């Protein structure tokens, strides 16, 4: 018994110090040498769930539930039942979770006095309303849960209720109130006032909703905080994968694409290890980088894997269809997604909706979407949302034949993207500025904008966008200017276009075959092309074969 008590003490100490693996080993040893009381079974279950042993964690939490019933602690039993339901719900097991919620509700109903578990059980119901298209009902549900949390001074319940209220506000379009509530709840999280599982839930939900609200500053700040929180718990699996997914999103936005793919793959690995909520972000973010790089088959596979989470990989999949030239499919996908989305997710889809409608030639539909985005940007005031609105509005003005009106709008968007440190969108916006200049008769400014955007796309490795910018640098076919190619690269391109293989080109130019291969690779990258066939067509189209 003394050995068991000593093991319990060590397990409790390790738990308080967030040493999850040590806590697991000590609790497990104590359990095998005399068993654990209900409260320590709860701790062991928490450790198991945090370290990716979710099935074992549910079993242990079930034991804790039963032990509480044996000792007559109905509130403890109901609390365990409620959390079992939440974990099962988050892992995609709705039938089992509903059964545990029903059991928890029955136990609460048997009590003579109210308890905080009543409020906990309101959380999943309100979440169902939030994600089921009833944000106003969700807000009322979270408000009721908050009142119960405040009555019993349950910090976990108070914070989860404030989180949900903030999410409901964002979904209703009241972004300023929503993010203000996030700031409030994050005070409790960062101060270490909450239990580990509610803390992780809040971190990840706040960051995800900030991305939906185009609040890049808060997303960056809270992702850094989440990174530090996870770093202080190196053996934690749950939430760590989601952290990597959020990091991948920020890396992608800021142009660090290799880092984004690395973080995305870490999220995928941690998803397989037990952080089930990391599946979507891990694969979707890698898919976004692959699409922007022109690796369309890899992007397709990533989006397919992301869809296994139950969430549609949009707008990435629709933009992939557009990049592959299937404009009708892209239009169908983005329209269906935008029409079915709640307000917050619809806002997130609007920039892609404008781009695809313009590509499909439906300027009127693009105008409606751009105006909707401008209305949200005016009410919200987020710089990222304003940048996206300027870019979309300027593109529509160009399509409407108003280049003079488009120029100042697009330049404002370009400036905002640069200030936010989002290089790909800044280069896209600058390319549109160049098109507006050319349409206004200012060819010199247009060429300067196209060249600068092309250089940025090349630096990022954005092959399709580089091809777009490169194609705009040249006036009609048979203008034999080499553009971004060096004289040697131009010479190699001419021989590629003549049908010669690398070995033959090497003999013709007295170069090594390895050097020729490097020149061909550089040519394809600079022109944003995918193959020698595309390079040959490009050479003929631009009069570079003479």
């Amino acid at each position: 018994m003394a050995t068991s008590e000593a093991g319990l003490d060590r397990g409790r100490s390790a738990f308080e110090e967030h040493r999850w693996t040590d806590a697991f080993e000590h609790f497990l040893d104590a359990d095998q040498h005399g068993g654990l009381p209900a409260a320590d079974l709860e701790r062991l279950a928490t450790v198991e769930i945090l370290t990716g042993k979710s099935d074992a964690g549910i079993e242990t939490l079930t034991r804790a539930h039963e032990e509480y019933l044996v000792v007559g602690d109905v509130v403890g039993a109901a609390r365990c039942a409620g959390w079992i339901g939440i974990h099962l719900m988050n892992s995609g097991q709705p039938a089992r979770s509903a059964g545990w919620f029903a059991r928890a509700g029955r136990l609460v109903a048997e009590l003579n006095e109210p308890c905080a578990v009543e409020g906990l059980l309101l959380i999943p119901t309100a979440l169902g309303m939030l994600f089921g298209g009833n944000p106003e009902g969700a807000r009322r549900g979270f408000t009721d849960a908050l009142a119960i949390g405040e009555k019993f001074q349950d910090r976990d319940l108070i914070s989860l209720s404030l989180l949900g209220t903030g999410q409901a506000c964002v979904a209703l379009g009241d972004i300023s109130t929503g993010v203000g509530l996030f700031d409030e709840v994050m005070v409790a999280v960062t101060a270490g006032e909450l239990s580990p599982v509610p803390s992780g839930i809040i971190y990840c939900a706040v960051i995800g909703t900030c991305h939906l609200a185009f609040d890049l500053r808060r997303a960056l700040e809270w992702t850094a905080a989440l990174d530090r929180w996870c770093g202080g718990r190196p053996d934690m699996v749950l939430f760590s994968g989601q952290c990597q997914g959020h990091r991948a999103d920020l890396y992608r936005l800021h142009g660090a694409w290799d880092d984004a793919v690395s973080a995305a793959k870490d999220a995928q690995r941690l998803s397989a290890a037990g952080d089930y909520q990391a599946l979507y972000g891990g694969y979707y973010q890698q898919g976004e980088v692959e699409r922007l790089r022109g690796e369309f088959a890899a992007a397709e596979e990533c989006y397919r894997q992301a869809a296994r989470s139950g969430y549609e990989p949009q707008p990435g999949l629709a933009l992939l269809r557009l990049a592959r030239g299937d404009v009708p499919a892209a239009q169908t996908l983005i329209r269906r997604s935008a029409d079915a989305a709640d307000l917050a997710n619809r806002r997130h889809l609007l920039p892609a909706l404008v781009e695809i409608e313009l590509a499909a030639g439906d300027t009127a539909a693009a105008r409606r979407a751009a105006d909707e985005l401008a209305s949200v940007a005016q009410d919200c005031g987020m710089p990222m949302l304003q940048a996206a609105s300027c870019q979309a509005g300027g593109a529509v003005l160009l399509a409407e034949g108003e280049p003079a009106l488009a120029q100042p709008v697009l330049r404002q968007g370009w400036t905002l993207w640069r200030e936010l440190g989002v290089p790909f969108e800044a280069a896209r916006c600058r390319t549109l500025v160049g098109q507006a200049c050319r349409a206004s008769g200012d060819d010199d400014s247009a060429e300067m904008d196209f060249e600068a955007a092309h250089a940025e796309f090349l630096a990022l490795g954005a092959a399709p966008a580089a091809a777009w910018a490169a194609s705009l640098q040249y006036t009609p076919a048979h203008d034999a200017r080499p553009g971004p190619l060096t004289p040697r690269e131009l010479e190699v391109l001419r021989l590629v276009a003549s049908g010669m293989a690398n070995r033959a080109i090497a003999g013709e130019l007295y170069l090594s075959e390895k050097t020729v291969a490097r020149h061909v690779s550089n040519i394809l990258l600079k022109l944003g092309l995918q193959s020698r066939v595309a390079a040959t067509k490009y050479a003929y189209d631009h009069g570079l074969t003479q």
Side-chain angles (χ1 to χ4, degrees):
M1 178 64 73
T3 302
S4 178
E5 286 297 327
L8 269 179
D9 289 341
R10 287 192 291 269
R12 291 164 183 163
S13 177
F15 185 89
E16 292 302 319
E17 294 169 5
H18 314 135
R19 293 184 285 112
W20 308 131
T21 300
D22 289 344
F24 171 75
E25 291 173 352
H26 290 309
F27 281 135
L28 192 63
D29 183 67
D31 192 27
Q32 293 171 345
H33 291 84
L36 293 175
D40 290 308
L41 283 171
E42 268 195 276
R43 294 185 182 97
L44 174 58
T46 298
V47 167
E48 288 173 326
I49 290 168
L50 288 173
T51 54
K53 307 175 189 71
S54 57
D55 290 342
I58 296 298
E59 290 179 8
T60 304
L61 201 52
T62 302
R63 287 177 57 201
H65 163 78
E66 293 167 350
E67 185 65 22
Y68 276 125
L69 287 176
V70 168
V71 299
D73 187 344
V74 178
V75 173
R79 181 181 62 251
C80 288
W83 274 108
I84 291 171
I86 290 172
H87 288 305
L88 291 171
M89 179 182 70
N90 288 338
S91 63
Q93 301 180 66
R96 288 182 67 195
S97 69
W100 279 101
F101 288 141
R103 175 177 287 193
R106 178 175 55 78
L107 289 171
V108 168
E110 292 174 358
L111 293 169
N112 294 324
E113 299 290 334
C115 67
V117 180
E118 292 180 57
L120 178 66
L121 295 179
L122 291 176
I123 298 294
T125 302
L127 284 171
M129 293 181 183
L130 179 64
F131 297 118
N134 183 10
E136 183 54 52
R139 181 162 62 178
R140 290 194 297 269
F142 289 125
T143 300
D144 291 343
L146 177 62
I148 295 172
E150 289 175 336
K151 177 179 179 180
F152 291 97
Q153 287 300 293
D154 187 315
R155 289 178 174 177
D156 287 346
L157 179 56
I158 290 170
S159 296
L160 288 170
S161 302
L162 287 173
L163 166 71
T165 305
Q167 290 177 294
C169 288
V170 170
L172 288 164
D174 188 358
I175 294 176
S176 60
T177 299
V179 296
L181 288 169
F182 294 158
D183 289 344
E184 180 180 350
V185 75
M186 288 302 292
V187 169
V189 174
T190 55
E193 297 174 358
L194 308 185
S195 304
V197 172
S199 293
I201 290 172
I202 290 166
Y203 263 123
C204 294
V206 163
I207 295 166
T209 310
C210 284
H211 280 291
L212 277 182
F214 293 88
D215 194 340
L216 187 57
R217 180 188 65 79
R218 278 187 174 85
L220 181 61
E221 181 177 342
W222 295 129
T223 299
L226 175 58
D227 200 22
R228 291 191 296 272
W229 187 72
C230 292
R233 300 152 177 80
D235 49 358
M236 184 172 67
V237 172
L238 192 66
F239 310 121
S240 295
Q242 295 169 71
C243 176
Q244 292 298 323
H246 293 312
R247 290 180 69 191
D249 195 0
L250 292 171
Y251 280 137
R252 175 184 59 80
L253 282 171
H254 291 301
W257 290 357
D258 288 341
D259 291 334
V261 170
S262 178
K265 288 183 176 179
D266 283 342
Q268 296 163 22
R269 174 180 57 80
L270 288 161
S271 169
D275 190 3
Y276 30 77
Q277 296 285 2
L279 175 66
Y280 180 83
Y283 282 104
Y284 183 80
Q285 292 306 326
Q286 183 182 352
E288 288 290 87
V289 174
E290 304 290 10
R291 173 177 63 81
L292 294 174
R293 284 176 166 168
E295 301 292 342
F296 295 151
E300 186 89 37
E301 175 60 18
C302 286
Y303 292 144
R304 189 182 70 81
Q305 293 292 339
R308 290 170 45 219
S309 68
Y311 298 103
E312 274 199 287
Q314 298 294 3
L317 185 59
L319 291 170
L320 178 61
R321 295 288 176 267
L322 179 65
R324 283 183 148 172
D326 192 348
V327 178
Q331 188 179 41
T332 298
L333 279 172
I334 198 65
R335 283 182 172 180
R336 179 175 56 76
S337 295
D339 289 345
D342 58 40
L343 184 58
N345 281 286
R346 179 177 171 82
R347 285 194 300 264
H348 190 65
L349 296 172
L350 286 173
L353 180 61
V354 172
E355 182 180 352
I356 293 170
E357 294 290 13
L358 288 175
D362 194 337
T363 306
R367 165 53 66 194
R368 290 193 295 272
D371 287 347
E372 182 179 348
L373 189 60
S375 176
V376 176
Q378 184 176 8
D379 293 340
C380 169
M382 297 293 179
M384 187 175 177
L385 187 54
Q386 291 172 342
S389 176
C390 288
Q391 184 168 321
V396 173
L397 285 169
L398 265 177
E400 292 171 338
E402 298 287 354
L405 295 177
Q407 276 194 57
V409 177
L410 290 168
R411 288 193 183 279
Q412 182 184 358
W414 172 44
T415 299
L416 287 168
W417 285 125
R418 288 176 62 206
E419 290 173 349
L420 287 165
V422 182
F424 180 79
E425 293 301 337
R428 282 188 67 219
C429 210
R430 188 162 190 183
T431 306
L432 292 171
V433 170
Q435 288 182 303
C437 289
R438 175 168 287 170
S440 301
D442 185 358
D443 287 337
D444 289 340
S445 295
E447 283 298 315
M448 182 172 61
D449 288 323
F450 294 147
E451 289 173 7
H454 183 258
E456 186 62 62
F457 288 138
L458 287 178
L460 290 167
W468 172 47
S471 70
L472 294 170
Q473 291 181 63
Y474 311 106
T475 51
H478 308 302
D479 177 356
R481 288 180 290 168
L485 303 183
T486 66
R488 177 62 86 184
E489 289 166 348
L490 180 60
E491 198 171 11
V492 171
L493 176 58
R494 287 174 178 146
L495 295 174
V496 167
S498 72
M500 294 177 68
N502 284 2
R503 179 172 297 179
I505 295 172
E508 179 77 16
L509 299 179
Y510 300 99
L511 300 171
S512 71
E513 192 171 347
K514 184 176 181 181
T515 299
V516 172
R518 187 175 70 250
H519 282 313
V520 172
S521 177
N522 288 340
I523 290 165
L524 295 178
L525 177 60
K526 285 184 176 183
L527 299 179
L529 303 174
Q530 300 295 311
S531 67
R532 296 170 75 95
V533 172
T536 298
K537 182 177 184 301
Y538 182 93
Y540 278 99
D541 287 347
H542 293 82
L544 301 176
T545 59
Q546 305 302 317

